[in-house]
Amino acid sequence: MNDFIICLIKYTSTFICILYTYAKLMRIKLKIWDTLAIPLFAVFSSVLYITTVYIKILVPIGLFIFSVVFLYLRFKNTFYETITVSAIALGLAIVFLLLSFFVAIPITITLNFINNETLKISLAQLIVGLIQILVIWLLFKIKRLQSGVHPKSKNASFDVLLYISIVCIFTMMLLYAEEVKQYMLKVALLIFALCGLLLIVWWRKHITYNYRDAINQQNADRMEDTIEEYKMNSAENDLQVAVYAKLFHYLNKAVPDCAILAESAATQSGCANACDVRDMLHRILREMNIANEKCSLQNIPQTGVNVVDVPIMQLFTAAERKNFTVSAHISADVESWFTENELLKEDVHILLSYLLDNAMISALGLPNAKVRLELSETAEFEPIIRVFDSGEQFDEAVIAKLGLEQITTRAGVGGNGIGLFTVFEILSKYGASFTLDEAPQIFGFTKSIEIAFDGRRSVMVRTYRESVVEVCSVRKGITVERIETLDEEILRDGTNG
């Protein structure tokens, strides 16, 4: 009777520990009604007691089998996870059962005053079982252990824990053998079974890990190839977008100018081909959603070079439509620029189109907008283009990257920096010089850009802003002329002699 009570309490507490440990290792939250499993554990323990009478060495196997069956039916995890984690849970329960026995010795000694042997033994075993459950509960209060285990992970700690648990189960089986020599055949069989089990588990893990490594490596290689292909396609797309953006930017300026030239040619010659070209260009403008407007102003300054005059006419047309002040002063023999200085008309056309368009947009950002164009020459008859406007100064970030990359202060309203960047490409082609003056000596203008085809390849910035001086000082190839004092009236009204 005493043996039955001992087995009943010991095995029931062990089953409770296995259930709690399994739930914590698998990160499962137990329910209140899981306590109803305790009577079932008592039934399992009764069956195991019968085992202890005949083949006591198989008690750990019985604990394991009952645990696996119950946990599999209760939580419906995979069979592999149930077996492995149940083995770990049983191993921990065995370890803490032994630990609880030694911890409870001082307490159970105090029970010697009880004369009833059955009651004394029952209380002692109950104390051991309670300590076992308490220790398991305290174990999983450790923060590091609250994350549980991952049976399918590549972490070797799970395998080590599993192997140690199997050794604990095997050790318990040996302890339950009354005489090892008497059960030598059984012990040998158990040793072979243990080694075979560990070998099978290790082999399965090894094969699985190798397979996963191969799959992961294939996926990684495939992903690298995909990323590399994506980068190549992205770079190609970026290049195409940059080329198309530059082309469309130029077409937006060039097609309206071509339409003006075709209109003039058709009117003057009456040639059917010229009329067809004019009509086709008008249709293209409609498709591009560009208005084909004409200027009613008379006596617009002209150079005599049609390709150069068209941007000037477009500027005056825009001034009439958008109501801002515009002026142009032509003191140079522009026709000689293309015979004596080896300039291309198309390049000068692009320069004027982009510079005048940028100046107009900048000027219209403030009240009393003004734009002025000057075409002149140096003492050595070198061509000079000057464009003035009354808009805001260039942002320091734009000045810091002049000619190096496309940058604009109008990114949110359609700006893309292509125009100014293209201007510097043309300057590089001819070795021309660029000057940005933030205090031009003409009334009503806040800045001017001067391009001189002098072959010096210089870039100069005249400024009174310390922030501009600072950004230009860290960049090679830019000369800064500091304006020490900015007398607004002297700079603007032109009365300083």
Side-chain angles (χ1 to χ4, degrees), residues 315-336:
L315 176 65
F316 277 82
T317 301
E320 182 181 21
R321 178 165 50 90
K322 298 183 179 181
N323 194 24
F324 66 91
T325 304
V326 64
S327 60
H329 178 70
I330 302 172
S331 61
D333 181 9
V334 176
E335 292 187 12
S336 65

Side-chain angles (χ1 to χ4, degrees), residues 265-266 269-280:
S269 66
C271 175
N273 290 337
C275 293
D276 291 340
V277 172
R278 174 199 60 193
D279 296 338
M280 291 179 65

